[in-house]
Amino acid sequence: VRKLDIERLRSDFPILQTQVYGKPLVYLDNAATTQKPASVIKAMDDYYTEYNSNIHRGVHYLSQKATSEYELVRKKVQAFINAEHLHEVIFTRGTTEGINLVANSFGRKFLKAGDSIMISAMEHHSNIVPWQMACEDRGARLQVIPMNNKGELMMDAFEQMLDDTVKLVSVTYISNSLGTVNPLKEIIQAAHQKGIPVLVDAAQAIQHVPIDVQELDADFLAFSGHKMYGPTGIGVLYGKEEWLNQLPPYQGGGDMIKSVSFAKTTYNELPLKFEAGTPSIAEGMGLGAAIDYLEHLGLQSIAETEGQLFSYAVDALQEIDELRFIGEADNRAASISFLVGDTHPFDVGEILDKHGIAVRTGHHCTEPIMHYFGIPGTVRASIAFYNTTEEIDKLIAAVKKAVMLLR
Ligand code: PMP
């Protein structure tokens, strides 16, 4: 595995040269969104300056060029996640839309009164609320895989809960709040033994670990462009052909139809059946460039680089007596949540901000996790491959200052 030259790679990201309050930016809010390399910004710029045009309809040169570039991105996604078929790659606005699509379409087709959907105790709101809505709609029940106080899913309980009311399991690969890496293969295998499909929320995994949907045997997998160094407004829902073909369309409109009359509309084939309306075209070009960038670095190299930095950060934070980790799973990645003494996370976040350090404070769209631990929220530092040990040292120094100031 190739070692990454971080100093050189940092220069690919214009924003990393920014100063805030006269101090160099230390960006440790990568779980919220990642920064963009110049190649991603350029790909979007090139589209608007050179071939801006709507796709999938025009006979003219620009439209054909835009269409072929956009469809090339679908191929890049297919290769990136190793989907068997190109039409198993559906473009969405992001993870949230991908999960809503499945919850809505799967719910209408397969959920009935007395059924249940199973999620986990550490899900992001976007992998809770759509299922609650679907369950409410169909008279079904939401089941929640419990976790222990290290922030690990309780696998024995999970397997016991997999009864024949369960129609789908939807879990996150990596927790955005706790950093827990869930035993996804085990979860998928156990569900499949009972014939239950699994949706993987890969919003926090796609940028950190190599993902092969066929090897995982995931039935659905959703992620967002903006968390993998690409733009906002674009994401992907992968679904196995056999499932996608059975699901009804999510939204109606242009592009998703074969023919329309007032009496009857017939729907398009995959993937367009699920892509109503003009998509985020420039953002698609940006996503393609982001994938090129990640492929060039190699996800395995990224995972190793980040793993070392993660351990370095955990070890250093551990030295601070007043600090308490929230989430101490044996297998963790990318996000580190903590509290300092009995101070409010927001107060710590504000002090870090004045040192130019961007972290997130609050519930991170995972309120049930905060209820579980009986806390208002956490301070969360989340890393990307472009972060350095010097930046972690600055974080540690600033946290120590916060401890003194808030004592
Ligand atoms: N799931 C997880 C685990 C996330 O971290 C996020 C983003 N914070 C989402 C889903 C939702 O992603 P988006 O807002 O890009 O749709």
Side-chain angles (χ1 to χ4, degrees):
V1 179
R2 195 163 56 96
K3 205 167 159 6
L4 303 181
D5 181 353
I6 300 306
E7 275 316 315
R8 200 183 60 70
L9 292 173
R10 282 179 70 83
S11 65
D12 293 339
F13 294 78
I15 212 171
L16 295 181
Q17 330 304 324
T18 304
Q19 302 220 327
V20 291
Y21 311 117
K23 300 191 171 69
L25 168 70
V26 175
Y27 188 76
L28 293 170
D29 194 17
N30 294 287
T33 199
T34 51
Q35 300 303 346
K36 321 304 172 199
S39 60
V40 167
I41 300 166
K42 181 173 185 302
M44 296 173 72
D45 201 54
D46 285 352
Y47 164 72
Y48 280 128
T49 39
E50 290 166 21
Y51 58 102
N52 173 54
S53 178
N54 210 333
I55 57 171
H56 294 153
R57 343 174 180 221
V59 290
H60 61 83
Y61 177 86
L62 288 191
S63 176
Q64 288 189 14
K65 160 119 172 130
T67 303
S68 64
E69 292 290 329
Y70 189 77
E71 289 304 321
L72 184 64
V73 177
R74 202 186 303 273
K75 286 211 179 73
K76 288 179 183 176
V77 174
Q78 181 195 6
F80 189 61
I81 60 173
N82 193 31
E84 186 179 358
H85 303 292
L86 186 59
H87 55 252
E88 293 176 321
V89 175
I90 313 290
F91 286 121
T92 63
R93 282 193 300 125
T95 310
T96 302
E97 190 178 57
I99 298 173
N100 273 277
L101 188 163
V102 180
N104 184 289
S105 294
F106 188 95
R108 274 187 288 145
K109 175 90 183 199
F110 292 111
L111 266 192
K112 54 184 193 322
D115 289 344
S116 70
I117 294 286
M118 193 182 281
I119 60 169
S120 91
M122 64 177 78
E123 298 309 317
H124 187 278
H125 294 165
S126 67
N127 198 26
I128 302 174
V129 185
W131 301 112
Q132 280 175 327
M133 289 161 65
C135 285
E136 202 170 312
D137 210 42
R138 313 297 301 175
R141 191 166 53 97
L142 195 67
Q143 297 208 65
V144 183
I145 308 165
M147 65 179 175
N148 62 25
N149 58 16
K150 286 167 79 179
E152 293 167 331
L153 292 184
M154 294 162 79
M155 293 298 288
D156 290 346
F158 163 63
E159 295 195 19
Q160 275 170 21
M161 290 160 67
L162 273 180
D163 56 34
D164 54 11
T165 68
V166 183
K167 291 294 170 282
L168 182 140
V169 175
S170 189
V171 285
T172 193
Y173 195 158
I174 300 181
S175 160
N176 66 310
S177 278
L178 305 169
T180 310
V181 182
N182 285 317
L184 208 53
K185 271 190 124 167
E186 241 179 277
I187 292 171
I188 291 172
Q189 270 167 16
H192 282 179
Q193 264 170 20
K194 308 245 159 118
I196 303 166
V198 178
L199 184 151
V200 177
D201 174 351
Q204 297 293 342
I206 193 79
Q207 68 283 47
H208 297 300
V209 292
I211 287 186
D212 178 329
V213 290
Q214 293 187 71
E215 205 219 352
L216 277 176
D217 205 15
D219 300 280
F220 300 99
L221 184 129
F223 55 91
S224 304
H226 72 99
K227 294 186 199 274
M228 53 186 292
Y229 311 100
T232 55
I234 184 98
V236 169
L237 173 70
Y238 158 82
K240 277 186 191 163
E241 178 184 55
E242 59 187 281
W243 283 112
L244 290 178
N245 271 332
Q246 292 182 73
L247 299 189
Y250 174 47
Q251 296 181 323
D255 254 21
M256 56 75 73
I257 54 92
K258 208 172 254 161
S259 75
V260 177
S261 75
F262 291 121
K264 181 162 178 62
T265 290
T266 53
Y267 303 130
N268 213 331
E269 306 290 327
L270 293 174
L272 294 181
K273 181 172 100 176
F274 291 110
E275 295 182 355
T278 300
S280 302
I281 306 171
E283 291 75 8
M285 307 309 175
L287 177 65
I291 291 174
D292 289 343
Y293 191 86
L294 286 171
E295 299 265 31
H296 177 65
L297 266 54
L299 257 296
Q300 202 57 52
S301 296
I302 290 174
E304 282 185 23
T305 305
E306 291 179 348
Q308 283 165 12
L309 193 68
F310 188 87
S311 303
Y312 181 85
V314 168
D315 290 348
L317 285 165
Q318 212 138 32
E319 298 292 308
I320 303 171
D321 286 340
E322 292 83 350
L323 187 141
R324 165 164 75 107
F325 291 112
I326 306 297
E328 295 186 273
D330 291 341
N331 194 0
R332 272 197 287 167
S335 287
I336 305 173
S337 263
F338 60 87
L339 287 173
V340 177
D342 52 11
T343 61
H344 198 280
F346 183 77
D347 296 331
V348 179
E350 259 196 328
I351 293 172
L352 298 186
D353 175 54
K354 293 296 174 293
H355 289 80
I357 301 170
V359 294
R360 176 141 301 206
T361 64
H363 55 60
H364 320 299
C365 294
T366 55
E367 278 192 45
I369 294 182
M370 305 306 143
H371 298 159
Y372 174 88
F373 286 103
I375 54 177
T378 73
V379 182
R380 181 188 70 186
S382 52
I383 60 167
F385 69 83
Y386 49 54
N387 290 123
T388 63
T389 51
E390 292 76 35
E391 288 183 315
I392 300 299
D393 293 343
K394 284 183 187 169
L395 169 72
I396 303 299
V399 171
K400 284 183 176 159
K401 279 225 177 89
V403 170
M404 303 232 299
L405 283 168
L406 296 170
R407 191 174 269 154

